[in-house]
Amino acid sequence: FKEDWRAFANTPGHAFQFDSGPYRGRIYVGANRSEGEPKPNGRDYFAFGYYTDDHGQSFNISDKIPFEGSNESMAAQISSTGLYMNSRNQQGNERYRIISRSDDGGKTWMSTEYDKNLPDPVNQGAVLSWKRGKKYILAISNAADTQKRDNLTLRLSKDGGNTWYFEQLIAKAPVGYKGDYAAYSDIVLINKKTIGVLFEKEDYSKIVFTRIKIK
């Protein structure tokens, strides 16, 4: 780690392993750090990843995501060389997920942008991918609300997160509910037609696991 890193955290969810292509076997962990002097609104946070190609004997650090405030990230494989990183925006100036893409296994970043199709209230989000035929299905779950942690939604994409062909609301607060109804989550592929979603519910008083039928 570098001398100017003040704090470091792994993804709040899971890592993943490349299952095809030149980086097959690479284990990749999304992460974030704060570096340099403290800045307001979390602007000293930067997302990045680290990875191993020798089953943990050694690790390499990716370039950082070039957005101040990028935080709490998860990543997934979207092609033989492609990686999709999904990050929280700690600043809260734009209430959307930060999306970064790499074409060299997560070492450097081709692009980073806000995804206006993924509203977010400054919260964690989970991503997962799996191969279907020759292409990858990408899944994301997050609290799809710009004001509070609510409207937990699962989405699926066939084109690396450019568009979403499947969308299902998992948890929504009843009318008049105050507080954070659905917050952090993680997802797992149970079988080719079912995704499991683990999430915090009802102002962090419950942790719930549910199964969602997918297309």
Side-chain angles (χ1 to χ4, degrees):
F1 297 156
K2 307 295 178 65
E3 290 183 0
D4 66 341
W5 292 13
R6 299 186 351 266
F8 161 82
N10 291 336
T11 169
H14 61 264
F16 81 95
Q17 188 171 33
F18 279 84
D19 65 5
S20 67
Y23 308 110
R24 183 177 180 180
R26 172 174 290 182
I27 299 171
Y28 198 95
V29 186
N32 66 271
R33 68 199 189 230
S34 56
E35 63 179 37
E37 294 297 320
K39 293 181 180 180
N41 302 319
R43 288 175 43 235
D44 52 335
Y45 281 104
F46 290 94
F48 69 105
Y50 65 95
Y51 56 93
T52 176
D53 293 322
D54 54 16
H55 303 286
Q57 296 299 312
S58 62
F59 287 88
N60 296 286
I61 298 171
S62 81
D63 288 355
K64 68 183 180 184
I65 300 299
F67 267 41
E68 290 186 328
S70 53
N71 195 8
E72 290 187 339
S73 298
M74 291 183 70
Q77 184 176 0
I78 54 174
S79 71
S80 63
T81 59
L83 181 145
Y84 170 99
M85 179 86 90
N86 189 296
S87 306
R88 163 179 173 158
N89 178 21
Q90 191 64 32
Q91 290 193 68
N93 56 330
E94 296 280 353
R95 295 295 180 100
Y96 303 101
R97 304 297 297 173
I98 298 171
I99 305 306
S100 305
R101 290 180 172 86
S102 169
D103 197 34
D104 59 6
K107 180 180 179 181
T108 63
W109 306 103
M110 300 166 52
S111 63
T112 299
E113 61 190 354
Y114 296 112
D115 189 337
K116 298 297 181 72
N117 293 313
L118 298 177
D120 193 81
V122 186
N123 190 34
Q124 177 263 5
V127 297
L128 180 73
S129 69
W130 61 94
K131 212 166 187 182
R132 182 184 289 173
K134 295 183 178 180
K135 302 235 175 179
Y136 283 86
I137 302 297
L138 176 68
I140 176 173
S141 64
N142 81 301
D145 191 294
T146 59
Q147 302 301 315
K148 59 183 180 178
R149 293 179 173 184
D150 193 10
N151 297 331
L152 185 69
T153 302
L154 175 70
R155 292 180 174 89
L156 303 180
S157 173
K158 296 177 181 178
D159 57 10
N162 292 307
T163 60
W164 305 96
Y165 75 91
F166 175 90
E167 180 176 322
Q168 183 163 329
L169 183 66
I170 298 169
K172 180 176 175 60
V175 175
Y177 186 92
K178 298 187 183 299
D180 293 322
Y181 189 75
Y184 281 37
S185 63
D186 204 358
I187 46 184
V188 63
L189 184 67
I190 296 174
N191 57 52
K192 63 182 181 180
K193 293 185 178 181
T194 311
I195 283 185
V197 184
L198 182 75
F199 66 99
E200 298 172 313
K201 188 179 180 184
E202 295 178 17
D203 220 20
Y204 314 100
S205 65
K206 298 177 182 178
I207 296 179
V208 177
F209 182 79
T210 188
R211 291 171 172 82
I212 305 296
K213 294 296 182 184
I214 60 173
K215 297 179 181 179

